[in-house]
Amino acid sequence: MTIHTFTYNPFQTNGYICHDQGEAVVVDPSCHTPAECEAVQRYLKEHDLTVRHLLLTHGHIDHIFGCQFFVDRYEQSFQMHRADLPFLQHAPDQATMFGLRMDPVPVPTRFLHEGDILSFGNTTWTVREAPGHSPGSVLFHDEARGYVIAGDVLFQGSIGRTDLPMGDLPTLMRSIHDQLLTLDDDVAVYPGHGPHTTIGRERRYNPFLNDER
């Protein structure tokens, strides 16, 4: 199983191609320019990957720039939690807030829920709901291999911001406590920004989790 990170757009957002046995998922297409999108597409072609799922950890603008590109290429919609649908519906307005331009984003045809199972190759992910940074933030957890794709819920040394529309700090802290800090220390965390980390590192050193030590 391979996790390939691509970091693009003015927000330096991490997107991921995860693949196993020739099948892949694209998580959070952060690619903003045509060149960035083509670079992700080139990786998929070079590794001869069949895309099984297009996934979003949440609907904030920096994580959805490339949605239309991949919907057009693979004729399937991105899957996300329904609670973040307003962010997709108002994506051009989100972009304008940051001085950027973006066309409307296709509406998903499938929504994710707590406990959903996603499979590709010999890999199985479980969806975990983790609201707070946004109402529909989700995690993708591979229990067998010990990692989680975390979006903007938890970072190395930090947590997701909650000052954006529909963010809520107490809700985010409950999500981190219930959905992440209950995992083993050696579970790897692949976040939406910055380097990957582990649950144990954040439990010990993350200044926002002092009360959880």
Side-chain angles (χ1 to χ4, degrees):
M1 218 294 295
T2 300
I3 300 175
H4 178 76
T5 308
F6 51 93
T7 305
Y8 290 134
N9 76 50
F11 304 95
Q12 289 294 280
T13 304
N14 295 334
Y16 295 98
I17 296 174
C18 305
H19 56 97
D20 184 28
Q21 300 294 311
E23 296 188 337
V25 296
V26 176
V27 183
D28 291 352
S30 64
C31 46
H32 184 218
T33 67
E36 290 173 348
C37 290
E38 289 295 344
V40 179
Q41 173 75 358
R42 187 162 55 250
Y43 180 94
L44 292 164
K45 287 182 177 179
E46 288 174 352
H47 291 81
D48 194 24
L49 298 174
T50 299
V51 175
R52 284 288 307 275
H53 302 286
L54 303 175
L55 304 172
L56 297 176
T57 60
H58 64 295
H60 284 160
I61 188 71
D62 53 323
H63 291 254
I64 66 173
F65 280 123
C67 279
Q68 184 68 66
F69 178 89
F70 289 99
V71 167
D72 290 343
R73 291 300 186 281
Y74 297 104
E75 298 183 344
Q76 58 176 295
S77 72
F78 274 84
Q79 302 170 53
M80 64 179 296
H81 195 283
R82 186 182 296 274
D84 269 17
L85 183 57
F87 293 121
L88 264 66
Q89 294 171 326
H90 298 284
D93 296 330
Q94 280 196 74
T96 300
M97 288 173 57
F98 296 100
L100 301 170
R101 183 186 177 281
M102 184 175 183
D103 293 329
V105 178
V107 174
T109 56
R110 179 184 174 189
F111 294 97
L112 301 173
H113 305 87
E114 175 76 21
D116 282 352
I117 301 299
L118 301 166
S119 299
F120 57 100
N122 293 322
T123 297
T124 300
W125 286 358
T126 302
V127 176
R128 290 173 169 251
E129 296 179 0
H133 174 66
S134 75
S137 289
V138 297
L139 314 169
F140 302 115
H141 180 211
D142 185 338
E143 183 176 4
R145 292 186 173 90
Y147 66 86
V148 60
I149 309 294
D152 287 2
V153 175
L154 181 67
F155 306 124
Q156 185 180 111
S158 189
I159 60 174
R161 60 188 295 183
T162 56
D163 58 336
L164 298 171
M166 294 193 282
D168 184 77
L169 181 58
T171 300
L172 176 62
M173 296 309 296
R174 283 196 299 272
S175 293
I176 292 172
H177 180 272
D178 294 344
Q179 296 284 35
L180 288 171
L181 295 184
T182 52
L183 302 177
D184 293 340
D185 279 357
D186 59 354
V187 170
V189 178
Y190 291 86
H193 301 271
H196 68 269
T197 184
T198 65
I199 295 296
R201 177 189 175 98
E202 300 317 302
R203 198 193 311 275
R204 288 189 293 272
Y205 302 120
N206 192 314
F208 293 90
L209 306 183
N210 284 331
D211 292 339
E212 309 301 334
R213 294 177 185 175

